[in-house]
Amino acid sequence: MSLTNDQLQAVAHLARIAVEDEWSEALRADLNAILDQASRLDDPRLNELEPMAHPLDQTQRMRADTVTETDQRETLMAGAPAQEKGLFLVPKVIE
Amino acid sequence: MSTSDSPQGGDAALINASITQLKGWLSAGELSAADLAGAFTQRIDTIDSELNSLISLVAPAEPGGDGALAGIPYVHKDIFCARGTRTTCGSRMLADWVAPYDATVHQRLTESGAVLLGKANMDEFAMGSSNENSHFGAVANPWDTSAVPGGSSGGSAAAVAARLAPFATGTDTGGSIRQPAAFCGVTGIKPTYGRVSRYGMIAYASSFDQGGVIAKSAEDCALVLGEMAGFDARDSTSSDEAVPDYVAALDGSIAGLRVGIPRQWFSDALDPAVGDAVTAAIDELRAAGAEAVEIDLPDADIALAAYYLLAPAEASSNLSRFDGVRFGYRCEDPMDLQDLYERTRSEGFGSEVKRRILVGTYALSAGYYDAFYRRAQKARRLVTEHFQRAFEQCDVIAGPVTPTPAFDRGAHSDDPAKMYLEDIFTIPVNLAGLPGMSVPAGFVAGRPVGLQLIGRHFNEARLLNVAHQYQQCVDWHQRMPSIAAASAHDNREG
């Protein structure tokens, strides 16, 4: 298993993480070392096992369809990097 | 009165007292909650510049309740939200973020009367085994400042070891309570998955994350866990299993207890000196009436490989919320929205977090999902079945927490894949969602060694009982690093 530089850039784009050129070779080596360990999962004993998503094999609990949250807009928005009139500000997306 | 059973002994008595002793002095009026908080705050001021175990200090409030922990100071791992308190998760991304709400754990501890003194350093977003991945700097091991304290709850473990607080909260996704507790010579418990609410605990890998306690003894852990544990409607994976009285269970006999010893864990991968310390600890349990049974827990390498795909996969999803729009860090002068996302995340996250997000994104991406993610979920089943078979032969499992004692700072920082091997004995427990503890069991070349105890699901009471009985026979948990003792002179009393 070896990740090419193009694959690394594609994954970095999916993850919305800019990978600078000076880091990309070292990063690729690290990721390949980590993914190499995944070859342990080729073990044929795994073939017939059911995938396990929850350690107690439970499913998500349902709750009553009632409003429990109060309006905390100002409190929750206080940590936003840029905001105005109750809106999050981002760079212009429509020309 | 002797100095050991009275607050008149000054700091030395205070810092080594159990929570029950502290409560006795508080309720007898020999000590006020403000005195107690002040004594520990003063220690933090004196000692922590050498350790860097805390990221933020919090002005101690009056106890918010008169429950089981009324007036007892503590520190939170900086992953728990406490309203109005800076909550960084060890990241530049949240370096200035003030939590707008309380984690359930925080709410429960506050209602119980515990007094928050500060937020403990940690590996960024709980990703790490050495506490070298914090935006706020590495933490030193109080036993030897050239060694790491372990991670990711390294600040919590170092603070308790240095007697900067009677207890600390922690979280354990792949060993992040047990491994630092072992490296710092303190007692830590990672409960069963679902036992402690994850609400307000910043998410890393949600099917593994579990909050717990680091303290000086099993007795103190039992008291604190009893306050933290229990059903919470705000966490959809919280268990509604009743919480037993952990303190009442401490004194039970362990005669006849079947202790499973995983033969594969005592292999070449284990430092022989660590193996000797763990074997000596198991001998103590036998001397107390327990019976040792050899069991099989194979495939630790498969567990490790599975964890280092599943946890990053979950992390890549959980950490997508840090986008520079709704909270936390934002890069300077973004050209457009794409640039805002990519540079914010590139600058706001440290290297290890970015590595794991990228591994996880890859493992979940089209064409690789079956080969990596689904395969790893099957491996999770395999490992869980190994534990189920083992528990047909024994009541608890005992073994090492880590292959070696605390390693030197910088020793593994250029080789992430090698660093991951540190977690080989802790990760299988998280895959299966079982409760586990680390209990101080001696020293190798001046650095502490931990005994790991693993129980059946929701069998925390039994683990705490076994650990407490062990701590009646040994005094490893009462040893204190010289950095803590040097400052324990009587600087409080006139």
Side-chain angles (χ1 to χ4, degrees), chain B residues 189-482:
Chain B
I189 181 161
K190 168 232 171 303
T192 308
Y193 181 79
R195 181 71 297 176
V196 168
S197 170
R198 292 185 294 108
Y199 181 80
M201 196 176 101
I202 296 171
Y204 158 24
S206 304
S207 81
F208 300 93
D209 293 343
Q210 182 56 211
V213 191
I214 294 176
K216 293 195 296 289
S217 66
E219 180 194 335
D220 285 357
C221 284
L223 193 59
V224 177
L225 183 61
E227 298 304 302
M228 280 168 60
F231 176 70
D232 178 13
R234 293 176 296 185
D235 169 1
S236 63
T237 58
S238 168
S239 169
D240 55 7
E241 185 96 8
V243 178
D245 184 338
Y246 297 126
V247 175
L250 290 172
D251 288 326
S253 164
I254 60 166
L257 178 85
R258 295 172 303 161
V259 180
I261 317 295
R263 66 183 103 227
Q264 292 84 356
W265 289 15
F266 291 82
S267 67
D268 295 346
L270 182 67
D271 177 339
V274 172
D276 289 347
V278 171
T279 302
I282 293 165
D283 287 343
E284 288 288 347
L285 298 179
R286 292 166 65 177
E291 176 197 345
V293 186
E294 281 221 323
I295 56 160
D296 284 307
L297 279 181
D299 300 323
D301 55 338
I302 290 182
L304 201 67
Y307 174 84
Y308 277 105
L309 289 173
L310 294 174
E314 295 186 25
S316 74
S317 168
N318 274 326
L319 272 63
S320 65
R321 62 173 61 95
F322 299 103
D323 59 1
V325 174
R326 292 163 298 161
F327 32 68
Y329 178 78
R330 169 183 283 195
C331 67
E332 295 278 340
D333 302 322
M335 289 185 307
D336 53 25
L337 194 57
Q338 184 70 24
D339 185 47
L340 181 150
Y341 291 148
E342 292 198 345
R343 271 202 300 128
T344 292
R345 291 166 61 77
S346 182
E347 294 165 14
F349 292 136
S351 305
E352 180 61 18
V353 171
K354 286 189 275 193
R355 268 194 289 271
R356 293 199 197 185
I357 291 174
L358 291 168
V359 167
T361 304
Y362 183 63
L364 291 175
S365 62
Y368 297 99
Y369 179 89
D370 282 337
F372 288 118
Y373 187 71
R374 204 174 151 79
R375 200 82 192 156
Q377 285 189 313
K378 289 177 172 221
R380 190 172 189 178
R381 174 83 55 197
L382 179 79
V383 172
T384 302
E385 288 180 351
H386 290 329
F387 277 111
Q388 285 165 348
R389 266 192 291 279
F391 278 121
E392 288 167 9
Q393 296 164 265
C394 63
D395 305 307
V396 299
I397 294 169
V401 181
T402 57
T404 65
F407 45 91
D408 287 343
R409 293 165 71 175
H412 299 333
S413 37
D414 335 333
D415 189 348
K418 186 148 185 251
M419 178 82 90
Y420 296 171
L421 291 172
E422 289 297 321
D423 306 330
I424 193 144
F425 302 133
T426 49
I427 275 174
V429 179
N430 298 81
L431 290 178
L434 297 166
M437 282 190 79
S438 176
V439 186
F443 293 85
V444 171
R447 296 181 183 181
V449 172
L451 166 73
Q452 183 169 210
L453 298 170
I454 304 162
R456 296 191 180 100
H457 287 132
F458 299 106
N459 222 343
E460 288 81 5
R462 192 53 154 162
L463 287 187
L464 290 160
N465 163 231
V466 175
H468 180 69
Q469 292 304 309
Y470 173 67
Q471 291 181 336
Q472 302 311 295
C473 308
V474 297
D475 68 351
W476 302 120
H477 62 293
Q478 291 166 343
R479 308 283 178 98
M480 184 165 68
S482 56

Side-chain angles (χ1 to χ4, degrees), chain B residues 105-161:
Chain B
V105 163
H106 182 70
Q107 186 190 337
R108 289 192 179 177
L109 289 176
T110 302
E111 285 167 2
S112 162
V115 176
L116 181 66
L117 297 185
K119 306 293 287 289
N121 207 336
M122 56 182 285
D123 282 302
E124 184 180 7
F125 287 105
M127 299 181 196
S129 311
S130 70
N131 219 123
E132 294 171 294
N133 298 337
S134 168
H135 175 64
F136 299 91
V139 176
N141 189 316
W143 289 94
D144 180 344
T145 51
S146 63
V148 302
S152 66
S153 310
S156 298
V160 173

Side-chain angles (χ1 to χ4, degrees), chain B residues 1-9 25 28 30:
Chain B
M1 275 196 261
S2 78
T3 53
S4 62
D5 57 11
S6 147
Q8 304 310 316
W25 296 333
E30 293 181 50

